Amino acid sequence: MNVGSMQLLSMGVGVWKLVEILVWILLPLILSFFAAYRMARHAGLPHPWLAFLPLVGHFYIMGKLAEPSGFHRTGRNRWPSLWYPFWSTILILCLAEMRLEAWLNGFYVTGILTGVLLFSWAATAVLNAYVLYSVLWDRLRRRAGLYTFLSMILPLEGVFLLLVMDLVPRSVTGKKQYLDGQPRYDKNHQWSPPPPKRSTKPKKNP
């Protein structure tokens, strides 16, 4: 194999890696950010642009979107907008500390740091599932569990959020069922419930 062929092969591997990163990492993130931003605009949340900030900003917006759903289901507010970014920040700090320790001391990590890292990772994973399920349940109740499970094993969270981003949450519409499915927000973030269906049954004479 000549030098030119080796260069073309290495370039092909580099392009394939770039495409893989784009498809499996960047594109799902962009879809999640846009869908969260759109839902935040519909909900009238302050500073919806925070949805485009990776990690803490995005987690805060997703937590705020999940709070009405959790309260609607259980009657309690578990404050995911606080705990979700908090534990994700702790996780990031622990990972950064481990990298620093590895660079300075040859990967010597204390047991306390390892315990905090594992706990923050578990808390972030649980909160991620809870927040995503709450957001989906509020808009697409029947398939919320399935979509949440698939998002835990495949990078499909952005796709599912994109499908439901314009649906009006049940925490807004109440328990009323609509004939055409859950109503949608328009481009002005407004929605109007359809008029009640007229009964075709003849009225009984008194």
Side-chain angles (χ1 to χ4, degrees), residues 95-109:
L95 291 173
E97 176 65 19
M98 290 183 68
R99 294 288 296 179
L100 180 62
E101 290 286 348
W103 180 62
L104 293 177
N105 303 322
F107 202 72
Y108 173 76
V109 182

Side-chain angles (χ1 to χ4, degrees), residues 59 67 77-89 123-124 127:
F59 291 166
E67 284 178 357
N77 191 354
R78 303 183 186 278
W79 302 106
S81 62
L82 170 65
W83 295 114
Y84 194 19
F86 173 78
W87 283 113
S88 65
T89 302
T124 302
L127 284 166

Side-chain angles (χ1 to χ4, degrees), residues 14-37:
V15 171
W16 175 250
K17 279 292 183 183
L18 183 62
V19 172
E20 185 178 1
I21 292 174
L22 177 64
V23 172
W24 290 96
I25 299 178
L26 294 182
L27 184 59
L29 286 177
I30 292 172
L31 294 179
S32 296
F33 293 167
F34 177 76
Y37 170 78

Side-chain angles (χ1 to χ4, degrees), residues 32 38-39 49 53 70 86 97 113 133 149:
S32 296
R38 181 83 172 177
M39 288 187 286
W49 53 267
L53 294 182
F86 173 78
E97 176 65 19
L113 180 60
Y133 175 78
F149 173 75

